[in-house]
Amino acid sequence: MNHGIVLLAGLAAIGWVNWYFFLAKRGPVVLARTDQSGRQEVRIVVHGGYDPATVEARAGVPLRLVFDRQETSSCSEEIVVPAFGIRQFLPAFQKTAIDLPGASPGTYDFTCGMSMLHGTIKVR
Amino acid sequence: MAVRSRSSANTESPDQGTAGSLKKVTIPVSGMSCAACQGRVQRALEQEPGVETANVNLMLGNATVLYNPAISTPEHLVETVRGTGYGAQLPSANQSAVADQEAQDRAQQDEFLEYRRKAGVSLLVAGLAMLFSMPLMMANATVSGKSPADPFMAWTMRHLNPPLMDTLPWLYHLNSTLLLYVLLAMTVTIMVWAGRHFYIRAFAAFRHHSADMNTLIAVGTGAAFIYSIIATFYPRLFLDSGIAPDVYYEAIVTIIGLVLVGNALEARAKRQTSIAVRTLITLQPDSARVLRDQAELDLPIDQITSGDIVVVRPGERVPVDGVITRGESAVDESMITGESFPVMKSQGSHVVGGTINRTGSFQLVATDLGADSTLQRIVRLMREAQGTRAPIQRLADRISAVFVPVVISVAIATFVAWYFFDTQAPVVRGFAASVAVLIIACPCAMGLAVPTAVMVATGRGAQWGILIKGGEALERAQAVTTVVLDKTGTITEGRPAVTEVVVLDPEYHAERLLALAASVESRSEHPLADAIVVYARSKAIPLFEPASFESHTGGGTSGRVDGQEIAIGSAAFLERRGVSVQSAALPVSVGSEQQTMVYLAIEGKLAGTLSVADPIRDTSRDAITRLTRMGLDLVMLSGDHRRTAEAIAHAVGISRVVAGVLPEGKTDEVKRLQSSGEVVAMVGDGINDAPALAQADVGIAMGTGTDIAMEAADVTLMRSDLRGVPLAIHLSRRTMRTMKQNLFWAFAYNVVGIPVAAGVLYPVFGITLSPVLASAAMALSSFSVVGNSLRLRRLHAG
C-alpha cells in the first residue's frame, strides 16, 4: 500500500516538475511600443527570469530592449542575444538598453550568460 | 561621438565636456513621443537656475545641457526632467566599454568579498554545529541501536566522538532538546543571513518557470530543513518506524558554507579571466598637459578635445591618440602591439594613447578621443570577443536549459527507488541520497567551461598584440589547414624602395639620372614612382618642375625635364618607343629575381636603370618556418609577375605561389581552396584584400598598431610581424583543447557524480555519498573548470 502511494506520488511529482518548467504557459506576450521616431521599445524586468519573457515586435523596425535588472544574482548578470552577436553585462539595479536592428520575421531567443534563463522575441 | 555599430549595446561614453567654466552633459530622456513633449522638457531645463542652454533631441531621446557647475548638477537636471513626467537617468548609465568593464569588475569584487565573508562565518558555525550534534547522534544511536544512516555522519561520529567525550564531557550532559533548539537557531540564522539569496533567487526563478543553481541548493537544503524540523518536533514519527530521528542541521550549515566557498572561488577566478582587459584599462592616463593660449594646463582626459596640442615628456604615458607635430622620441608600444622594442617616432608619426614615451619630449595634436581611441576600441573589441559564444558550447547550452528540472526528477526517482529497494532505512537513506543528488549536480561547471576559456585566450592574445574576434574565430582558427598569404605588405614591407641605380651612359652621373627620373615620377601616382621620388629626396637631390608629363598605363611615364626628353618605365615600354634595351650591359646583381627593373631613357637613348624591390620583412622567414612546422599548407598570392613572386616565395620558403592575381582573384583563390576541402586562413593587410579576408574561414589582418582594421577581420595582428599568425593558431589550438577538457570534466563530473550520489554503488560496494561531501564536490567542480581555463594565461609563445 505504502509502496504504491510513494510510487504514485513520485511519478506525479516528476510529472509536475517537468510540466511546470517545460510546458506551462509563461506569462503574457508583450508587444513592443513604437515611439514617434519609429523605434520599438520594450522594458524587461530581470529578476530570476525575464518579465515579460516573450516580446512581440514588428519586422524591419529597430528594437530597443531595456533590461531592468532588479537583483544581484550572478545568474542574470549577462544578457545574450545570440542571433545578433550580443553579450552584455547588466549592472544590478540599473537599466541597460540593447539596440537591435530591424529584423526579419522569425523567433529570436535571448538568454542569460549561462543559457539557463530564457526569453523570446517574436518578430512578425 | 562614438561610432555606432550595426547592433550594439548602448555603451557610448557620455558626451561630457566644458566650455569655459560651464559644463556640458547629455542626459538620456525616455518617454518623449512628440514635439510637444520635447518642448516641455526643454522649457523645464531652460528655466532651471544655472542652465545656459538646453537642447532636447526627440529622435536621439536625450537632452544636451550646458550648465554652470557652481549652480546646478547633473543629478539636479535629471530630477528636473523627471519632474516633467518623462524618464531620465544620469549619463553614467550610458557607459563606455571601459566604464562597463569597471562596473563589472566592481560587481565581481563585491560579490567575491561578500561570498568570502559569508562562507567563513558559515563554516565556523558549521564546526560548532558539528560539535553540538555529536551528543545528539550518540543519543539517537543508543535509542535506536543503529549508527546514523548518513555515511558522513556515521564517520564523524566514529572518529570525533571519543576525543570529544574526553575534552568536552559537559557537552554530553546537556539536555538533548536544548541542543536541538540551539542547532535549529544556528541553522535558521545561517540560512537567513548567509543563504538567503539562494532561496530568494530560487523563488524568483520559480515564478518565471525557470530553475538554476539556486533552485538545487534551495530545494536540497530546504528539504533537509523540513525533514529536520519534523525530527525535532515529532521524533515519535521516526522512532515508531524504528528509525533514528537524526537531524541534518549541521549538514545544512556545512552545505551552505561549502557552496559559498565554491561561489567565492568561482567569483575570484572569473575576475582573473578578465585581467587582460583590466590591465589595458589601467593604461589610460587620467590627465594630459595641454597647450592653450601659450600656457601648459593639466586637464582631465575627458576635457581634451580633438585638435588640442598635448605635451608629452620623457617617461610619461602618451595620454591620447594623436599625430606628433614637434619633437621625436622612442615610444614603448609593447602594451598595445606586443612589440618589445621601443619604436622611433618623429613629426608626422601617429602615437597611441596608453603607450610610454621613453626618451624625448614631443607635442602631438589630439585626434581620436574617447570611444574612438585605439585603447577604447581594443577594450570594446575584447569585451565583445569575450562575449561571443563558441559553437562548441551549443551542446552545453542545450543541456543547461533542461538540466535543473531533470536533476530534480532524478532526485525524486532516487527517493522512490531507495524506498522500494532498501530494507534497513529506506526513508532516511532515500532522503539523504535525494538531497545529495540535488546538491552535487552542478550546471555552473558546464556553463563556465567554454566562456572562461574564450575570455582567458582572448586576453592572452591581446598581450601578444593579437586581437581575436571571439569564440567562433578561435574555434575556426584551430581547424585551419591552409594559410594563404598575400605577398605585398604581409610577407614584404609593402613599401617598394630603390635598391640600386646603374648608370649606362657615361655622359651622366647617378645624381643627374635620379634627379631627372624623380622629377618625372613626382607627377605619377604609381607605387614604383613613389619609391623613386622618396629615394631621391632621401639623397637630398633637388627636383625639377617637368615642362610636360604623360602617363602611359601599364608601361611608364614620359616628360620634358630641365630641357631633356625623358622616358621611364619597363623594358617593353622603352622598346616600343624605339629605345634599344636588350643591348644594355647590366651588372650581374641588377635585375635579380626579387627586384623590378625600371629603365630610363634620355633623348631616346638608354641612360640607366633603377632597381626597385619590396623588401621582405625580417620576421617573415621565421614565421613561415613555424607555420610549416605546425603542419600547415602555405600558399602565397601576388599581383606580381611569376618570376618576381616565385623569387620572394623561394626566399621565405613557400613552394606554392599564385602569381599575377588581381584583388578580386584573391577571393576566387580562397574559394577554390575551400571547395577542395581546405580550411583557409587568409593573411592580408585588411584594406586591399578585405573581400578575401571575409571569404576565408579565418581572416587575419596585419595592422600597424595605429591603423587598425580590427572590426574587419577575425584576427588582427597589432604589429607588422607575420609571427603573429603561427602564434594565433597555436593559441587557438590550445584554447580548443582547454574547452574540450573543461566540457569533458564538467559533463563527467555530473554524469559520474549524480548516479554515485543517488546510490548506484550501494548494492555492490555499499557506498553512499553524504550531502555534505556532495556539497564539497560541487564547490570544487566550478572552480576546477575556471582554474583549467586560467592555465591559458601562462601559455608560452612557441
Side-chain angles (χ1 to χ4, degrees):
Chain A
M1 180 60 193
N2 270 354
H3 282 75
I5 292 170
V6 168
L7 182 63
L8 279 180
L11 287 176
I14 291 172
W16 182 83
V17 164
N18 286 278
W19 168 81
Y20 186 81
F21 288 110
F22 297 134
L23 302 171
K25 206 163 156 262
R26 298 166 184 230
V29 177
V30 169
L31 195 68
R33 280 186 300 116
T34 307
D35 63 21
Q36 214 190 27
S37 64
R39 192 179 61 193
Q40 304 181 92
E41 182 170 319
V42 68
R43 176 171 167 260
I44 298 168
V45 175
V46 183
H47 190 218
Y50 303 111
D51 194 7
T54 309
V55 173
E56 208 173 280
R58 282 187 298 128
V61 182
L63 172 66
R64 171 172 277 195
L65 302 173
V66 180
F67 287 95
D68 186 356
R69 182 164 166 239
Q70 296 179 350
E71 63 178 347
T72 52
S73 167
S74 62
C75 289
S76 65
E77 72 184 10
E78 283 183 320
I79 185 77
V80 181
V81 194
F84 297 94
I86 289 174
R87 178 186 281 248
Q88 172 74 19
F89 175 69
L90 305 177
F93 304 107
Q94 278 189 39
K95 291 187 182 120
T96 307
I98 306 277
D99 286 322
L100 305 180
S104 47
T107 301
Y108 304 92
D109 290 334
F110 57 91
T111 70
C112 67
M114 287 192 184
S115 198
M116 300 188 77
L117 310 177
H118 293 266
T120 309
I121 307 162
K122 286 183 176 161
V123 177
R124 293 178 196 279
Chain B
M1 194 62 204
V3 177
R4 247 168 228 274
S5 59
R6 181 182 59 85
S7 60
S8 68
N10 193 9
T11 56
E12 286 86 0
S13 61
D15 183 8
Q16 280 181 298
T18 56
S21 60
L22 299 177
K23 273 196 158 187
K24 193 169 85 176
V25 63
T26 300
I27 300 169
V29 180
S30 57
M32 294 188 296
S33 58
C34 60
C37 320
Q38 183 185 356
R40 218 158 87 206
V41 175
Q42 181 144 349
R43 274 194 304 280
L45 283 169
E46 281 169 352
Q47 284 162 10
E48 182 67 21
V51 169
E52 197 72 12
T53 61
N55 188 1
V56 180
N57 190 320
L58 179 65
M59 297 298 281
L60 295 175
N62 64 28
T64 306
V65 187
L66 198 62
Y67 68 98
N68 185 340
I71 302 173
S72 193
T73 61
E75 290 81 4
H76 219 85
L77 299 170
V78 165
E79 280 312 309
T80 308
V81 177
R82 286 186 182 153
T84 61
Y86 299 99
Q89 53 190 323
L90 280 173
S92 59
N94 256 4
Q95 287 162 326
S96 68
V98 168
D100 212 11
Q101 180 66 41
E102 284 172 342
Q104 188 161 359
D105 285 342
R106 261 196 314 277
Q108 278 175 349
Q109 176 67 7
D110 292 347
E111 190 185 22
F112 165 67
L113 292 176
E114 189 185 340
Y115 282 145
R116 194 180 60 177
R117 191 178 68 241
K118 287 183 170 174
V121 175
S122 302
L123 288 181
L124 202 71
V125 174
L128 283 175
M130 201 77 83
L131 293 184
F132 288 164
S133 59
M134 285 300 144
L136 286 175
M137 278 195 276
M138 213 178 82
N140 282 338
T142 314
V143 172
S144 63
K146 296 173 189 168
S147 62
D150 183 287
F152 179 72
M153 290 188 194
W155 181 87
T156 48
M157 202 176 111
R158 227 177 14 256
H159 291 88
L160 286 185
N161 237 347
L164 198 64
M165 281 173 92
D166 291 340
T167 48
L168 301 174
W170 53 269
L171 202 61
Y172 290 79
H173 300 301
L174 289 175
N175 181 310
S176 64
T177 313
L178 176 71
L179 275 176
L180 268 179
Y181 288 164
V182 170
L183 276 174
L184 173 61
M186 287 165 118
T187 308
V188 170
T189 309
I190 289 300
M191 284 172 92
V192 171
W193 176 71
R196 184 179 55 221
H197 63 279
F198 294 130
Y199 308 102
I200 292 173
R201 291 169 186 176
F203 180 68
F206 179 79
R207 273 181 37 231
H208 289 92
H209 299 262
S210 48
D212 56 22
M213 190 65 231
N214 298 304
T215 312
L216 294 173
I217 307 297
V219 174
T221 55
F225 184 69
I226 292 168
Y227 181 98
S228 307
I229 288 283
I230 297 170
T232 305
F233 294 102
Y234 306 102
R236 281 268 132 237
L237 286 178
F238 293 83
L239 292 169
D240 288 351
S241 317
I243 304 165
D246 287 329
V247 289
Y248 283 94
Y249 294 130
E250 77 286 1
I252 295 167
V253 179
T254 314
I255 288 168
I256 290 175
L258 285 174
V259 172
L260 285 168
V261 168
N263 288 161
L265 289 174
E266 189 186 315
R268 198 180 60 174
K270 263 159 71 184
R271 239 174 82 76
Q272 284 169 346
T273 59
S274 56
I275 209 156
V277 180
R278 224 171 7 257
T279 310
L280 277 176
I281 287 170
T282 58
L283 295 180
Q284 176 72 62
D286 299 326
S287 64
R289 197 173 300 111
V290 182
L291 269 188
R292 280 191 187 161
D293 303 328
Q294 308 301 320
E296 285 188 14
L297 297 176
D298 255 330
L299 290 181
I301 211 79
D302 58 358
Q303 291 184 18
I304 310 295
T305 54
S306 193
D308 270 340
I309 301 290
V310 177
V311 182
V312 188
R313 300 210 176 119
E316 288 182 347
R317 265 188 204 285
V318 178
V320 291
D321 288 10
V323 176
I324 295 186
T325 53
R326 183 187 287 183
E328 59 176 28
S329 179
V331 176
D332 178 359
E333 298 188 324
S334 58
M335 58 297 291
I336 303 283
T337 64
E339 169 66 63
S340 49
F341 294 104
V343 183
M344 273 315 292
K345 302 277 180 177
S346 57
Q347 195 176 340
S349 301
H350 198 116
V351 283
V352 178
T355 56
I356 298 173
N357 176 26
R358 288 282 180 220
T359 52
S361 286
F362 59 83
Q363 292 183 2
L364 62 89
V365 57
T367 53
D368 301 313
L369 296 160
D372 292 337
S373 68
T374 305
L375 201 59
Q376 286 248 14
R377 285 169 66 203
I378 295 173
V379 170
R380 188 165 64 232
L381 191 86
M382 282 184 67
R383 282 185 54 78
E384 279 169 15
Q386 300 189 334
T388 57
R389 289 169 108 63
I392 194 174
Q393 198 179 344
R394 282 189 203 127
L395 178 64
D397 280 351
R398 272 206 289 273
I399 294 176
S400 291
V402 299
F403 187 81
V404 175
V406 168
V407 168
I408 296 174
S409 304
V410 171
I412 297 168
T414 299
F415 179 81
V416 174
W418 274 96
Y419 190 82
F420 267 70
F421 299 112
D422 189 54
T423 48
Q424 294 173 353
V427 174
V428 182
R429 283 194 170 140
F431 183 77
S434 302
V435 172
V437 166
L438 291 170
I439 299 294
I440 203 168
C442 184
C444 290
M446 278 187 297
L448 292 168
V450 176
T452 52
V454 171
M455 286 183 80
V456 179
T458 48
R460 188 74 185 106
Q463 287 168 341
W464 287 333
I466 300 169
L467 298 182
I468 300 164
K469 210 160 192 185
E472 197 170 341
L474 267 172
E475 193 168 332
R476 279 201 310 261
Q478 61 86 34
V480 162
T481 55
T482 301
V483 179
V484 178
L485 302 136
D486 187 32
K487 190 209 84 176
T488 308
T490 305
I491 295 173
T492 64
E493 297 278 1
R495 284 191 302 272
V498 174
T499 52
E500 195 165 12
V501 180
V502 176
V503 181
L504 295 168
D505 187 336
E507 256 187 62
Y508 304 99
H509 51 86
E511 281 76 21
R512 175 71 181 166
L513 284 191
L514 255 179
L516 294 172
S519 300
V520 180
E521 296 288 41
S522 64
R523 291 287 187 88
S524 170
E525 288 175 353
H526 196 276
L528 290 182
D530 195 43
I532 294 168
V533 175
V534 168
Y535 185 69
R537 288 210 172 114
S538 74
K539 299 269 173 200
I541 294 170
L543 303 190
F544 305 101
E545 185 61 28
S548 66
F549 168 81
E550 202 179 340
S551 172
H552 308 269
T553 309
T557 53
S558 60
R560 199 161 181 83
V561 177
D562 198 25
Q564 290 187 298
E565 193 62 41
I566 309 295
I568 180 164
S570 66
F573 169 68
L574 290 198
E575 293 275 354
R576 278 203 301 278
R577 295 176 71 91
V579 179
S580 171
V581 172
Q582 300 302 332
S583 59
L586 292 169
V588 182
S589 67
V590 174
S592 79
E593 290 173 326
Q594 292 172 31
Q595 298 176 330
T596 305
M597 293 292 295
V598 179
Y599 295 83
L600 172 72
I602 304 174
E603 300 294 355
K605 191 179 164 216
L606 188 64
T609 62
L610 296 106
S611 304
V612 180
D614 185 3
I616 296 171
R617 293 185 197 279
D618 300 340
T619 50
S620 295
R621 219 195 133 73
D622 184 23
I624 283 156
T625 310
R626 290 188 198 188
L627 286 168
T628 312
R629 221 183 291 143
M630 289 168 84
L632 296 159
D633 287 333
L634 302 177
V635 178
M636 190 186 91
L637 299 185
S638 170
D640 290 343
H641 292 297
R642 170 153 292 279
R643 210 173 64 120
T644 314
E646 280 180 349
I648 300 273
H650 182 74
V652 294
I654 297 179
S655 53
R656 281 167 76 185
V657 179
V658 184
V661 193
L662 297 170
E664 54 273 25
K666 293 178 185 171
T667 312
D668 295 337
E669 187 55 31
V670 171
K671 277 187 192 160
R672 199 185 60 71
L673 285 165
Q674 285 171 324
S675 65
S676 64
E678 304 288 343
V679 180
V680 179
M682 167 83 202
V683 190
D685 60 15
I687 301 159
N688 302 319
D689 36 27
L693 292 188
Q695 173 63 39
D697 298 283
V698 182
I700 303 177
M702 255 169 72
T704 58
T706 51
D707 176 27
I708 329 156
M710 301 189 299
E711 285 83 0
D714 296 309
V715 176
T716 304
L717 308 182
M718 295 293 288
R719 68 183 141 137
S720 305
D721 182 343
L722 204 53
R723 286 176 301 186
V725 177
L727 210 49
I729 295 174
H730 174 61
L731 177 63
S732 73
R733 286 180 178 177
R734 290 298 297 270
T735 309
M736 198 62 192
R737 201 201 297 173
T738 302
M739 289 180 189
K740 284 180 179 165
Q741 286 167 348
N742 284 354
L743 283 173
F744 173 79
W745 286 114
F747 282 127
Y749 166 80
N750 282 298
V751 165
V752 174
I754 293 174
V756 169
V760 290
L761 297 181
Y762 183 75
V764 180
F765 302 103
I767 296 173
T768 56
L769 195 62
S770 162
V772 171
L773 293 180
S775 67
M778 200 214 73
L780 287 175
S781 66
S782 299
F783 177 68
S784 63
V785 161
V786 184
N788 193 37
S789 293
L790 285 173
R791 292 195 316 142
L792 286 170
R793 271 169 54 191
R794 293 195 297 274
L795 180 65
H796 290 292

